[in-house]
Structure formats: structure tokens, C-alpha cells
Coordinates of all heavy atoms in Angstrom, one line a residue:
M86 N 0.8 -1.2 0.0 CA 0.0 0.0 0.0 C 0.8 1.2 0.0 O 0.4 2.3 0.0 CB -0.9 0.0 1.2 CG -2.0 -1.1 1.1 SD -3.3 -0.9 2.3 CE -2.6 -2.0 3.6
R87 N 2.2 1.1 0.0 CA 3.0 2.1 0.0 C 2.9 2.9 -1.4 O 2.9 2.4 -2.4 CB 4.4 1.7 0.2 CG 5.1 2.3 1.4 CD 6.3 1.8 1.7 NE 6.3 2.5 3.0 CZ 7.5 2.7 3.7 NH1 8.6 2.2 3.2 NH2 7.3 3.2 4.9
G88 N 2.9 4.3 -1.2 CA 2.9 5.1 -2.5 C 1.4 5.4 -2.8 O 1.2 6.3 -3.7
I89 N 0.5 4.7 -2.3 CA -1.0 4.8 -2.7 C -1.6 5.9 -1.8 O -2.3 6.8 -2.3 CB -1.7 3.4 -2.6 CG1 -1.1 2.5 -3.6 CG2 -3.2 3.8 -2.9 CD1 -1.8 1.2 -3.5
Y90 N -1.3 5.9 -0.5 CA -2.0 6.6 0.5 C -0.9 7.6 1.1 O 0.3 7.3 1.1 CB -2.6 6.0 1.6 CG -3.7 5.0 1.1 CD1 -3.4 3.6 0.9 CD2 -4.9 5.4 0.8 CE1 -4.3 2.7 0.5 CE2 -5.9 4.6 0.3 CZ -5.6 3.3 0.2 OH -6.6 2.4 -0.2
P91 N -1.3 8.8 1.4 CA -0.3 9.8 2.1 C 0.2 9.3 3.4 O -0.5 8.4 4.0 CB -1.1 11.1 2.3 CG -2.6 10.7 2.1 CD -2.7 9.4 1.3
D92 N 1.4 9.7 3.7 CA 2.2 9.1 4.9 C 1.4 9.3 6.2 O 1.5 8.6 7.2 CB 3.6 9.8 5.1 CG 4.4 9.3 3.9 OD1 4.1 8.1 3.4 OD2 5.5 9.9 3.6
F93 N 0.6 10.5 6.3 CA 0.0 10.9 7.6 C -1.3 10.0 7.8 O -1.9 10.0 8.9 CB -0.4 12.3 7.6 CG -1.4 12.8 6.5 CD1 -2.7 12.6 6.7 CD2 -1.0 13.3 5.3 CE1 -3.6 13.0 5.8 CE2 -1.9 13.7 4.3 CZ -3.3 13.5 4.6
L94 N -1.7 9.3 6.7 CA -2.9 8.5 7.0 C -2.5 7.1 7.6 O -1.6 6.5 7.1 CB -3.6 8.2 5.5 CG -4.9 7.4 5.5 CD1 -6.0 8.2 6.2 CD2 -5.4 7.2 4.1
R95 N -3.2 6.8 8.7 CA -3.0 5.5 9.4 C -3.9 4.6 9.0 O -5.1 4.7 9.0 CB -3.1 5.9 10.9 CG -2.7 4.6 11.7 CD -2.8 5.0 13.1 NE -2.3 3.9 13.9 CZ -1.6 4.1 15.1 NH1 -1.5 5.2 15.6 NH2 -1.2 3.0 15.6
L96 N -3.4 3.5 8.4 CA -4.2 2.3 8.0 C -4.1 1.1 8.9 O -3.1 0.9 9.5 CB -3.7 1.9 6.6 CG -3.7 2.9 5.4 CD1 -3.0 2.4 4.2 CD2 -5.1 3.4 5.1
S97 N -5.3 0.6 9.0 CA -5.3 -0.7 9.8 C -5.8 -1.9 8.9 O -6.7 -1.6 8.2 CB -6.3 -0.5 11.1 OG -7.6 -0.2 10.6
G98 N -5.2 -2.9 9.0 CA -5.6 -4.1 8.3 C -6.8 -4.7 8.8 O -6.9 -5.1 10.0
E99 N -7.9 -4.8 8.1 CA -9.0 -5.4 8.5 C -9.2 -7.0 8.2 O -9.9 -7.7 8.8 CB -10.4 -4.7 7.8 CG -10.5 -3.4 8.3 CD -11.8 -2.8 7.7 OE1 -12.6 -3.6 7.2 OE2 -11.9 -1.5 7.7
Q100 N -8.4 -7.4 7.2 CA -8.3 -8.8 7.0 C -7.2 -9.5 7.6 O -6.1 -8.9 7.7 CB -8.2 -9.0 5.4 CG -9.3 -8.4 4.6 CD -10.7 -9.0 4.9 OE1 -10.8 -10.2 5.2 NE2 -11.8 -8.2 4.7
D101 N -7.4 -10.6 8.1 CA -6.3 -11.2 8.9 C -5.6 -12.4 8.2 O -4.8 -13.1 8.6 CB -6.9 -11.9 10.2 CG -8.0 -12.8 10.1 OD1 -8.5 -13.0 8.9 OD2 -8.4 -13.5 11.0
S102 N -5.9 -12.6 6.8 CA -5.4 -13.6 6.0 C -5.2 -13.4 4.6 O -6.1 -12.4 4.1 CB -6.4 -14.8 6.1 OG -5.9 -15.8 5.1
C103 N -4.3 -13.7 3.9 CA -4.0 -13.5 2.5 C -4.8 -14.5 1.7 O -4.7 -14.5 0.4 CB -2.6 -13.5 2.3 SG -1.7 -12.2 2.9
E104 N -5.4 -15.5 2.3 CA -6.0 -16.6 1.6 C -7.5 -16.5 1.6 O -8.1 -17.4 0.9 CB -5.6 -18.0 2.2 CG -4.1 -18.2 2.0 CD -3.7 -19.5 2.6 OE1 -4.5 -20.2 3.3 OE2 -2.5 -19.9 2.4
K105 N -8.0 -15.6 2.3 CA -9.4 -15.4 2.3 C -9.8 -14.0 2.6 O -9.2 -13.3 3.4 CB -10.3 -16.3 3.3 CG -9.6 -16.2 4.7 CD -10.3 -17.2 5.6 CE -9.7 -17.1 7.0 NZ -10.2 -18.1 7.9
V106 N -10.9 -13.4 2.0 CA -11.2 -12.1 2.1 C -12.8 -11.9 1.8 O -13.3 -12.6 1.0 CB -10.4 -11.1 1.1 CG1 -10.6 -11.5 -0.2 CG2 -10.7 -9.7 1.6
S107 N -13.4 -11.0 2.6 CA -14.8 -10.7 2.2 C -14.8 -9.4 1.6 O -14.3 -8.5 2.0 CB -15.6 -10.7 3.6 OG -15.2 -9.8 4.4
F108 N -15.7 -9.2 0.6 CA -16.0 -8.0 -0.1 C -17.4 -7.9 -0.4 O -17.9 -8.7 -1.2 CB -15.1 -7.9 -1.3 CG -15.2 -6.6 -2.1 CD1 -14.6 -5.5 -1.6 CD2 -15.8 -6.7 -3.2 CE1 -14.8 -4.3 -2.3 CE2 -16.0 -5.5 -4.0 CZ -15.5 -4.3 -3.5
L109 N -18.0 -6.8 0.1 CA -19.5 -6.6 -0.1 C -20.2 -7.9 0.4 O -20.1 -8.3 1.5 CB -19.8 -6.2 -1.6 CG -19.1 -4.9 -2.0 CD1 -19.4 -4.6 -3.4 CD2 -19.6 -3.8 -1.1
D110 N -20.9 -8.6 -0.5 CA -21.6 -9.8 -0.2 C -21.0 -11.0 -0.6 O -21.6 -12.1 -0.6 CB -23.0 -9.7 -0.6 CG -23.3 -9.7 -2.0 OD1 -22.1 -9.4 -2.7 OD2 -24.4 -9.8 -2.5
T111 N -19.7 -10.9 -0.9 CA -19.0 -12.1 -1.5 C -17.8 -12.4 -0.5 O -17.1 -11.7 -0.1 CB -18.5 -11.7 -2.8 OG1 -19.6 -11.4 -3.7 CG2 -17.8 -13.0 -3.4
Y112 N -17.7 -13.7 -0.3 CA -16.5 -14.3 0.5 C -15.6 -14.9 -0.6 O -16.2 -15.9 -1.2 CB -17.0 -15.2 1.5 CG -15.9 -15.8 2.4 CD1 -15.3 -15.1 3.4 CD2 -15.4 -17.2 2.2 CE1 -14.4 -15.7 4.2 CE2 -14.4 -17.8 2.9 CZ -14.0 -17.0 3.9 OH -13.0 -17.7 4.7
V113 N -14.3 -14.5 -0.7 CA -13.4 -15.2 -1.7 C -12.3 -15.9 -0.9 O -11.8 -15.3 0.0 CB -12.8 -14.1 -2.6 CG1 -11.8 -14.8 -3.6 CG2 -13.8 -13.3 -3.2
A114 N -12.1 -17.1 -1.2 CA -11.1 -18.0 -0.5 C -10.3 -18.9 -1.4 O -10.7 -19.1 -2.5 CB -11.7 -18.7 0.7
F115 N -9.2 -19.3 -0.9 CA -8.3 -20.3 -1.6 C -8.2 -21.5 -0.7 O -7.7 -21.4 0.4 CB -6.9 -19.7 -1.9 CG -6.1 -20.6 -2.8 CD1 -6.4 -20.6 -4.1 CD2 -5.1 -21.3 -2.3 CE1 -5.5 -21.4 -4.9 CE2 -4.3 -22.1 -3.0 CZ -4.5 -22.1 -4.3
D116 N -8.6 -22.7 -1.3 CA -8.5 -23.9 -0.6 C -8.1 -25.0 -1.6 O -8.9 -25.7 -2.1 CB -9.8 -24.3 0.0 CG -9.7 -25.6 0.9 OD1 -8.6 -25.9 1.3 OD2 -10.7 -26.3 1.1
G117 N -6.9 -24.8 -2.2 CA -6.5 -25.6 -3.2 C -6.8 -25.1 -4.6 O -6.2 -25.2 -5.6
C118 N -8.0 -24.3 -4.7 CA -8.4 -23.5 -5.8 C -9.3 -22.4 -5.4 O -9.7 -22.5 -4.2 CB -9.2 -24.4 -6.8 SG -10.7 -25.1 -6.0
W119 N -9.4 -21.4 -6.1 CA -10.2 -20.2 -5.7 C -11.6 -20.5 -5.7 O -12.1 -21.2 -6.6 CB -9.9 -19.0 -6.5 CG -8.6 -18.5 -6.3 CD1 -7.5 -18.7 -7.1 CD2 -8.2 -17.6 -5.2 NE1 -6.4 -17.9 -6.6 CE2 -6.8 -17.3 -5.4 CE3 -8.8 -17.0 -4.2 CZ2 -6.0 -16.5 -4.5 CZ3 -8.0 -16.2 -3.3 CH2 -6.6 -16.0 -3.5
Y120 N -12.4 -20.0 -4.7 CA -13.9 -20.2 -4.7 C -14.5 -19.0 -4.1 O -13.9 -18.3 -3.4 CB -14.4 -21.6 -4.0 CG -14.1 -21.6 -2.5 CD1 -15.1 -21.2 -1.6 CD2 -12.9 -21.8 -2.0 CE1 -14.9 -21.1 -0.2 CE2 -12.7 -21.9 -0.6 CZ -13.8 -21.5 0.2 OH -13.5 -21.5 1.5
T121 N -15.8 -18.8 -4.4 CA -16.6 -17.7 -3.7 C -17.9 -18.3 -3.1 O -18.4 -19.2 -3.7 CB -16.9 -16.7 -4.9 OG1 -17.7 -17.3 -5.9 CG2 -15.6 -16.0 -5.4
K122 N -18.3 -17.6 -2.2 CA -19.6 -17.9 -1.6 C -20.3 -16.7 -0.9 O -19.6 -15.7 -1.0 CB -19.5 -18.9 -0.5 CG -18.7 -18.6 0.7 CD -18.6 -19.9 1.6 CE -18.0 -19.6 2.9 NZ -18.0 -20.8 3.8
I123 N -21.5 -16.7 -0.5 CA -22.2 -15.6 0.1 C -21.6 -15.2 1.4 O -21.3 -16.0 2.3 CB -23.6 -15.9 0.2 CG1 -24.3 -16.4 -1.0 CG2 -24.4 -14.7 0.9 CD1 -24.4 -15.3 -2.0
Y124 N -21.3 -13.9 1.6 CA -20.9 -13.4 2.9 C -21.9 -12.4 3.3 O -22.5 -11.5 2.7 CB -19.6 -12.7 2.7 CG -19.1 -11.9 4.1 CD1 -18.6 -12.7 5.1 CD2 -19.3 -10.6 4.3 CE1 -18.3 -12.1 6.3 CE2 -19.0 -10.0 5.4 CZ -18.4 -10.7 6.4 OH -18.0 -10.1 7.5
D125 N -22.5 -12.6 4.6 CA -23.5 -11.7 5.2 C -22.9 -11.3 6.5 O -22.8 -11.9 7.5 CB -24.8 -12.4 5.4 CG -26.0 -11.5 5.8 OD1 -25.6 -10.3 6.1 OD2 -27.1 -11.9 5.9
K126 N -22.6 -9.9 6.6 CA -22.1 -9.3 7.8 C -23.0 -9.4 9.0 O -22.5 -9.4 10.1 CB -21.6 -7.9 7.6 CG -22.7 -7.0 7.3 CD -22.2 -5.6 7.0 CE -23.3 -4.6 6.7 NZ -22.9 -3.3 6.3
R127 N -24.2 -9.6 8.8 CA -25.2 -9.7 9.9 C -25.1 -11.1 10.5 O -25.7 -11.2 11.6 CB -26.7 -9.5 9.3 CG -26.8 -8.1 8.9 CD -28.2 -8.1 8.2 NE -28.2 -8.9 6.9 CZ -29.1 -8.7 5.9 NH1 -30.0 -7.9 6.0 NH2 -29.0 -9.5 4.9
E128 N -24.3 -12.0 10.0 CA -24.1 -13.3 10.7 C -22.9 -13.3 11.5 O -22.6 -14.4 12.2 CB -24.0 -14.3 9.5 CG -25.3 -14.5 8.8 CD -25.1 -15.5 7.6 OE1 -24.0 -15.9 7.4 OE2 -26.1 -15.7 6.8
H129 N -22.1 -12.3 11.6 CA -21.0 -12.2 12.4 C -21.0 -11.1 13.4 O -21.7 -10.0 13.1 CB -19.7 -12.1 11.4 CG -19.7 -13.1 10.3 ND1 -19.2 -14.3 10.7 CD2 -20.0 -13.0 9.1 CE1 -19.3 -15.0 9.5 NE2 -19.8 -14.2 8.6
P130 N -20.2 -11.2 14.5 CA -20.4 -10.1 15.5 C -19.8 -8.9 15.0 O -19.0 -8.9 14.2 CB -19.4 -10.6 16.7 CG -19.3 -12.1 16.4 CD -19.6 -12.3 15.0
P131 N -20.2 -7.7 15.4 CA -21.3 -7.5 16.4 C -22.7 -7.5 15.8 O -23.7 -7.4 16.6 CB -21.0 -6.1 17.0 CG -20.4 -5.4 15.8 CD -19.7 -6.4 15.0
L132 N -22.9 -7.5 14.5 CA -24.2 -7.4 13.9 C -25.1 -8.7 14.1 O -26.2 -8.7 13.9 CB -24.0 -7.0 12.6 CG -23.5 -5.7 12.2 CD1 -23.4 -5.6 10.7 CD2 -24.3 -4.7 12.7
S133 N -24.5 -9.8 14.6 CA -25.2 -11.0 14.7 C -26.1 -10.9 16.0 O -27.1 -11.8 16.0 CB -24.3 -12.2 15.0 OG -23.4 -12.0 16.1
R134 N -26.0 -10.0 16.9 CA -26.8 -9.8 18.1 C -28.0 -9.1 17.6 O -29.0 -8.9 18.5 CB -26.0 -9.1 19.1 CG -24.9 -9.9 19.6 CD -24.3 -9.2 20.9 NE -23.8 -7.9 20.5 CZ -22.6 -7.5 20.4 NH1 -21.7 -8.4 20.7 NH2 -22.3 -6.3 20.2
I135 N -28.2 -8.4 16.4 CA -29.3 -7.6 16.1 C -30.4 -8.5 15.4 O -30.0 -9.2 14.4 CB -28.9 -6.5 15.2 CG1 -27.9 -5.6 15.9 CG2 -30.0 -5.8 14.7 CD1 -27.3 -4.5 15.0
D136 N -31.6 -8.5 15.9 CA -32.6 -9.3 15.2 C -33.3 -8.3 14.2 O -34.1 -7.5 14.5 CB -33.5 -9.8 16.3 CG -34.6 -10.8 15.6 OD1 -34.3 -11.4 14.6 OD2 -35.6 -10.9 16.2
A137 N -33.0 -8.5 12.9 CA -33.5 -7.7 11.8 C -34.2 -8.5 10.9 O -33.9 -9.6 10.5 CB -32.3 -7.1 11.2
L138 N -35.4 -8.0 10.5 CA -36.3 -8.8 9.5 C -35.7 -8.4 8.1 O -35.5 -7.3 7.8 CB -37.7 -8.3 9.6 CG -38.4 -8.7 10.9 CD1 -39.8 -8.0 10.9 CD2 -38.5 -10.1 11.1
K139 N -35.4 -9.3 7.3 CA -34.8 -9.1 6.1 C -35.8 -9.1 4.9 O -35.5 -8.6 3.9 CB -33.8 -10.3 5.7 CG -32.7 -10.4 6.7 CD -31.8 -11.5 6.3 CE -30.7 -11.8 7.6 NZ -30.0 -13.0 7.3
Y140 N -36.9 -9.8 5.0 CA -37.9 -10.0 4.0 C -39.2 -9.7 4.4 O -39.5 -9.8 5.7 CB -37.7 -11.4 3.4 CG -36.4 -11.9 3.1 CD1 -35.7 -12.7 4.0 CD2 -35.8 -11.4 1.9 CE1 -34.4 -13.1 3.6 CE2 -34.4 -11.8 1.7 CZ -33.8 -12.6 2.6 OH -32.5 -12.9 2.3
P141 N -40.1 -9.4 3.5 CA -41.6 -9.1 4.0 C -42.2 -10.3 4.5 O -41.9 -11.5 4.2 CB -42.3 -8.7 2.6 CG -41.3 -8.9 1.5 CD -40.0 -9.2 2.1
H142 N -43.1 -10.2 5.5 CA -43.8 -11.3 6.1 C -44.7 -12.0 5.1 O -45.4 -11.2 4.2 CB -44.6 -10.9 7.3 CG -45.1 -11.9 8.1 ND1 -46.3 -12.6 7.9 CD2 -44.6 -12.6 9.2 CE1 -46.5 -13.5 8.9 NE2 -45.5 -13.5 9.6
P143 N -44.8 -13.4 5.0 CA -45.7 -13.9 4.1 C -47.2 -13.5 4.0 O -47.8 -13.6 3.0 CB -45.5 -15.4 4.4 CG -44.2 -15.5 5.2 CD -44.1 -14.2 6.0
S144 N -47.7 -12.9 5.2 CA -49.0 -12.6 5.2 C -49.2 -11.1 4.7 O -50.4 -10.7 4.9 CB -49.6 -12.8 6.6 OG -48.9 -11.9 7.5
C145 N -48.3 -10.4 4.3 CA -48.4 -9.1 4.0 C -49.2 -8.9 2.6 O -49.5 -9.9 2.0 CB -47.0 -8.4 3.8 SG -46.1 -8.9 2.5
F146 N -49.5 -7.8 2.2 CA -50.3 -7.5 1.1 C -49.5 -7.6 -0.3 O -50.1 -7.0 -1.2 CB -51.1 -6.2 1.1 CG -52.1 -6.2 2.4 CD1 -52.0 -5.6 3.5 CD2 -53.2 -7.2 2.2 CE1 -52.8 -5.6 4.6 CE2 -54.2 -7.2 3.2 CZ -54.0 -6.4 4.4
I147 N -48.3 -8.0 -0.2 CA -47.6 -8.1 -1.5 C -48.1 -9.2 -2.4 O -48.6 -10.3 -1.9 CB -46.1 -8.4 -1.3 CG1 -45.4 -7.2 -0.5 CG2 -45.4 -8.7 -2.5 CD1 -44.0 -7.3 -0.2
S148 N -48.4 -9.1 -3.6 CA -49.0 -10.1 -4.5 C -48.1 -11.4 -4.5 O -46.9 -11.3 -4.3 CB -49.1 -9.5 -6.0 OG -47.8 -9.5 -6.5
E149 N -48.7 -12.5 -4.7 CA -48.1 -13.8 -4.8 C -46.9 -13.7 -5.8 O -45.9 -14.3 -5.6 CB -49.1 -15.0 -5.0 CG -50.1 -15.2 -3.9 CD -49.5 -15.6 -2.6 OE1 -48.5 -16.4 -2.7 OE2 -49.8 -15.1 -1.6
R150 N -47.2 -13.1 -6.9 CA -46.2 -13.1 -7.9 C -44.9 -12.3 -7.5 O -43.8 -12.7 -7.7 CB -46.8 -12.4 -9.1 CG -45.9 -12.5 -10.4 CD -46.6 -12.1 -11.6 NE -45.6 -12.1 -12.8 CZ -45.9 -11.8 -14.0 NH1 -47.2 -11.6 -14.2 NH2 -45.0 -11.9 -14.9
A151 N -45.1 -11.2 -6.8 CA -44.0 -10.4 -6.2 C -43.3 -11.2 -5.2 O -42.0 -11.2 -5.0 CB -44.5 -9.2 -5.6
K152 N -44.0 -12.0 -4.4 CA -43.3 -13.0 -3.4 C -42.4 -13.9 -4.0 O -41.3 -14.1 -3.6 CB -44.3 -13.5 -2.5 CG -45.1 -12.5 -1.6 CD -46.1 -13.4 -0.8 CE -47.0 -12.3 0.1 NZ -48.1 -13.1 0.7
L153 N -42.9 -14.6 -5.1 CA -42.1 -15.5 -5.9 C -40.9 -14.8 -6.5 O -39.9 -15.4 -6.8 CB -43.0 -16.2 -7.0 CG -44.0 -17.1 -6.3 CD1 -44.9 -17.6 -7.5 CD2 -43.4 -18.3 -5.7
G154 N -41.1 -13.6 -6.9 CA -40.0 -12.8 -7.5 C -38.9 -12.6 -6.5 O -37.7 -12.6 -6.9
I155 N -39.3 -12.4 -5.2 CA -38.2 -12.2 -4.2 C -37.4 -13.6 -4.1 O -36.1 -13.5 -4.1 CB -38.8 -11.9 -2.8 CG1 -39.4 -10.5 -3.0 CG2 -37.8 -12.0 -1.8 CD1 -40.3 -10.1 -1.7
I156 N -38.1 -14.6 -4.2 CA -37.4 -16.0 -4.0 C -36.5 -16.2 -5.1 O -35.3 -16.5 -5.0 CB -38.5 -17.1 -3.9 CG1 -39.1 -16.9 -2.5 CG2 -37.7 -18.4 -3.9 CD1 -40.4 -17.7 -2.3
T157 N -37.0 -16.0 -6.4 CA -36.3 -16.4 -7.5 C -35.1 -15.4 -7.7 O -34.0 -15.9 -8.2 CB -37.1 -16.4 -8.8 OG1 -37.7 -15.1 -9.0 CG2 -38.1 -17.5 -8.8
S158 N -35.2 -14.1 -7.4 CA -34.1 -13.3 -7.5 C -33.0 -13.6 -6.5 O -31.8 -13.5 -6.8 CB -34.6 -11.8 -7.4 OG -35.1 -11.5 -6.1
R159 N -33.3 -13.9 -5.3 CA -32.3 -14.3 -4.3 C -31.6 -15.6 -4.7 O -30.4 -15.7 -4.7 CB -33.0 -14.5 -2.9 CG -33.4 -13.2 -2.3 CD -32.2 -12.2 -2.0 NE -31.3 -12.8 -1.1 CZ -30.2 -12.4 -0.9 NH1 -29.7 -11.4 -1.6 NH2 -29.4 -12.8 0.1
L160 N -32.3 -16.5 -5.2 CA -31.6 -17.8 -5.7 C -30.8 -17.5 -6.9 O -29.7 -18.1 -7.0 CB -32.7 -18.8 -6.0 CG -33.6 -19.3 -4.8 CD1 -34.5 -20.5 -5.2 CD2 -32.7 -19.8 -3.6
H161 N -31.2 -16.6 -7.8 CA -30.4 -16.3 -8.8 C -29.0 -15.6 -8.4 O -28.0 -15.9 -8.8 CB -31.1 -15.4 -9.9 CG -30.2 -14.9 -10.9 ND1 -30.0 -15.8 -12.0 CD2 -29.8 -13.7 -11.3 CE1 -29.4 -15.2 -12.9 NE2 -29.1 -13.9 -12.5
G162 N -29.2 -14.7 -7.4 CA -27.9 -14.1 -6.8 C -27.0 -15.1 -6.2 O -25.8 -15.1 -6.3
F163 N -27.6 -16.0 -5.5 CA -26.8 -17.0 -4.9 C -26.0 -17.9 -5.9 O -24.8 -18.1 -5.7 CB -27.7 -18.0 -4.0 CG -28.3 -17.4 -2.7 CD1 -29.4 -18.0 -2.3 CD2 -27.9 -16.2 -2.2 CE1 -30.0 -17.5 -1.1 CE2 -28.6 -15.5 -1.3 CZ -29.7 -16.3 -0.6
G164 N -26.7 -18.2 -7.0 CA -26.1 -18.9 -8.1 C -24.9 -18.2 -8.7 O -24.0 -18.9 -9.2
R165 N -25.1 -16.9 -8.8 CA -24.0 -16.1 -9.4 C -22.8 -16.0 -8.5 O -21.7 -15.8 -9.0 CB -24.6 -14.8 -9.9 CG -25.5 -14.8 -11.0 CD -26.0 -13.5 -11.6 NE -24.9 -12.6 -11.9 CZ -24.3 -12.6 -13.2 NH1 -24.8 -13.3 -14.1 NH2 -23.3 -11.7 -13.3
I166 N -23.0 -16.0 -7.3 CA -21.8 -15.8 -6.4 C -21.1 -17.1 -6.0 O -19.9 -17.2 -6.0 CB -22.4 -15.0 -5.2 CG1 -22.6 -13.5 -5.4 CG2 -21.2 -15.0 -4.0 CD1 -23.2 -12.7 -4.4
C167 N -22.0 -18.1 -5.7 CA -21.4 -19.4 -5.1 C -20.8 -20.1 -6.3 O -21.5 -20.6 -7.3 CB -22.5 -20.2 -4.4 SG -23.2 -19.4 -3.0
T168 N -19.7 -20.5 -6.2 CA -19.0 -21.4 -7.2 C -19.0 -22.9 -6.9 O -18.7 -23.7 -7.7 CB -17.5 -21.0 -7.4 OG1 -16.8 -21.0 -6.1 CG2 -17.4 -19.5 -7.9
R169 N -19.3 -23.1 -5.6 CA -19.4 -24.6 -5.1 C -20.8 -24.8 -4.9 O -21.6 -24.1 -4.3 CB -18.7 -24.8 -4.0 CG -17.1 -24.6 -4.2 CD -16.3 -25.1 -3.0 NE -16.6 -24.4 -1.8 CZ -15.9 -24.6 -0.7 NH1 -14.8 -25.3 -0.7 NH2 -16.3 -23.9 0.3
R170 N -21.4 -26.0 -5.4 CA -22.8 -26.3 -5.2 C -23.2 -26.5 -3.8 O -24.2 -26.1 -3.3 CB -23.0 -27.8 -5.9 CG -24.4 -28.2 -5.8 CD -24.8 -29.5 -6.5 NE -24.3 -29.3 -7.9 CZ -25.0 -29.8 -8.8 NH1 -26.0 -30.5 -8.6 NH2 -24.7 -29.6 -10.1
S171 N -22.3 -27.0 -2.8 CA -22.6 -27.1 -1.5 C -22.8 -25.8 -0.8 O -23.7 -25.7 0.0 CB -21.5 -27.9 -0.7 OG -20.2 -27.1 -0.9
D172 N -22.0 -24.8 -1.2 CA -22.3 -23.4 -0.6 C -23.6 -22.9 -1.0 O -24.5 -22.3 -0.3 CB -21.1 -22.5 -1.1 CG -19.9 -22.8 -0.5 OD1 -19.9 -23.5 0.8 OD2 -18.9 -22.6 -1.1
F173 N -24.0 -23.1 -2.3 CA -25.3 -22.6 -2.9 C -26.4 -23.3 -2.1 O -27.4 -22.7 -1.7 CB -25.4 -23.0 -4.3 CG -26.8 -22.7 -5.0 CD1 -27.2 -21.3 -5.2 CD2 -27.7 -23.7 -5.2 CE1 -28.5 -21.1 -5.7 CE2 -29.0 -23.5 -5.8 CZ -29.3 -22.1 -5.9
V174 N -26.3 -24.7 -1.9 CA -27.4 -25.4 -1.3 C -27.5 -25.0 0.1 O -28.7 -24.7 0.7 CB -27.2 -26.9 -1.3 CG1 -28.1 -27.7 -0.4 CG2 -27.3 -27.3 -2.7
E175 N -26.5 -24.8 0.9 CA -26.5 -24.3 2.3 C -27.1 -23.0 2.4 O -28.0 -22.7 3.2 CB -25.1 -24.3 2.8 CG -25.0 -23.7 4.2 CD -23.5 -23.5 4.7 OE1 -22.5 -23.9 4.0 OE2 -23.3 -22.9 5.7
R176 N -26.8 -22.0 1.5 CA -27.4 -20.7 1.6 C -28.8 -20.6 1.2 O -29.7 -20.0 1.8 CB -26.5 -19.7 0.6 CG -27.1 -18.4 0.7 CD -27.0 -17.8 2.0 NE -25.7 -17.6 2.6 CZ -25.5 -16.9 3.7 NH1 -26.4 -16.3 4.4 NH2 -24.3 -17.0 4.3
T177 N -29.2 -21.6 0.2 CA -30.7 -21.6 -0.2 C -31.4 -22.1 1.0 O -32.5 -21.6 1.3 CB -30.8 -22.5 -1.4 OG1 -30.0 -21.9 -2.4 CG2 -32.1 -22.7 -1.9
R178 N -30.9 -23.2 1.6 CA -31.6 -23.7 2.9 C -31.8 -22.6 4.0 O -32.9 -22.5 4.6 CB -30.9 -24.9 3.4 CG -31.0 -26.2 2.6 CD -30.5 -27.3 3.3 NE -30.6 -28.6 2.4 CZ -29.8 -29.5 2.3 NH1 -28.7 -29.6 3.2 NH2 -30.0 -30.5 1.6
M179 N -30.8 -21.9 4.2 CA -30.9 -20.8 5.2 C -32.0 -19.8 4.8 O -32.8 -19.4 5.7 CB -29.5 -20.1 5.5 CG -28.5 -21.0 6.1 SD -26.9 -20.3 6.3 CE -27.2 -18.8 6.9
F180 N -31.9 -19.4 3.6 CA -32.9 -18.5 3.0 C -34.3 -19.0 3.1 O -35.2 -18.2 3.6 CB -32.5 -18.1 1.5 CG -33.5 -17.2 0.9 CD1 -33.8 -15.8 1.2 CD2 -34.3 -17.8 -0.2 CE1 -34.8 -15.2 0.5 CE2 -35.3 -17.0 -0.8 CZ -35.5 -15.7 -0.5
L181 N -34.6 -20.1 2.7 CA -35.9 -20.6 2.8 C -36.4 -20.8 4.1 O -37.6 -20.8 4.4 CB -36.0 -21.9 1.9 CG -35.8 -21.8 0.4 CD1 -35.8 -23.2 -0.3 CD2 -36.8 -20.8 -0.2
K182 N -35.5 -21.2 5.1 CA -35.8 -21.4 6.5 C -36.3 -20.0 7.0 O -37.2 -19.9 8.0 CB -34.7 -21.8 7.2 CG -34.9 -22.1 8.7 CD -33.8 -22.8 9.4 CE -34.0 -22.9 10.8 NZ -32.7 -23.4 11.5
E183 N -35.7 -18.8 6.7 CA -36.0 -17.6 7.1 C -37.4 -17.2 6.7 O -38.1 -16.5 7.4 CB -35.0 -16.4 6.6 CG -33.6 -16.6 7.3 CD -32.7 -15.6 6.7 OE1 -33.0 -15.0 5.6 OE2 -31.6 -15.4 7.1

């Protein structure tokens, strides 16, 4: 990072490893080969203590078609991020359980 930032700026490393990193909603890691999966900061401290509703309640007045749109769009997003089938299945199960 030398030469990119001014000397007076104090930088602290947020990542503790060179083999795995989280960026936005993606977790990138190396385990013999590179892979990606979903990262949700609300699942890790300190945000894991907050009980937040992520999706509309099934009994709300949103149309059935819109509710299905929420499900298919989330699954499509999971499919684009997860490079391993097991990560996609795990995240889909968690999503459907919510």
C-alpha cells in the first residue's frame, strides 16, 4: 500500500489472512483452488446480536407473484456468487428457512 496513500494516513488491516477475504456480499477464499460464496455481515459479531427482518412477512399484502420474484431473484444471486454447489445449497436452505 506504500505510495498509494499519504504518509499521515494511518491504515489498519481489516483482513487477517491473505488466503480469504470478504468484499461486499462475497467471500473469496483459496483452498487448493479459488472459490466464492455468500458473505453476510449480519451473521458475524457485532451485527449477529441484532434481530432484523430481512424479507416481507408472508401474510403481507404483496402479491403472490412479487413474493415469488423475491425468492427467484435471491436464488439467482446465490447462483451467481457461489462457485461450489454445497455453498449454494447451504445458503438456499438458510434463506428458505428464514
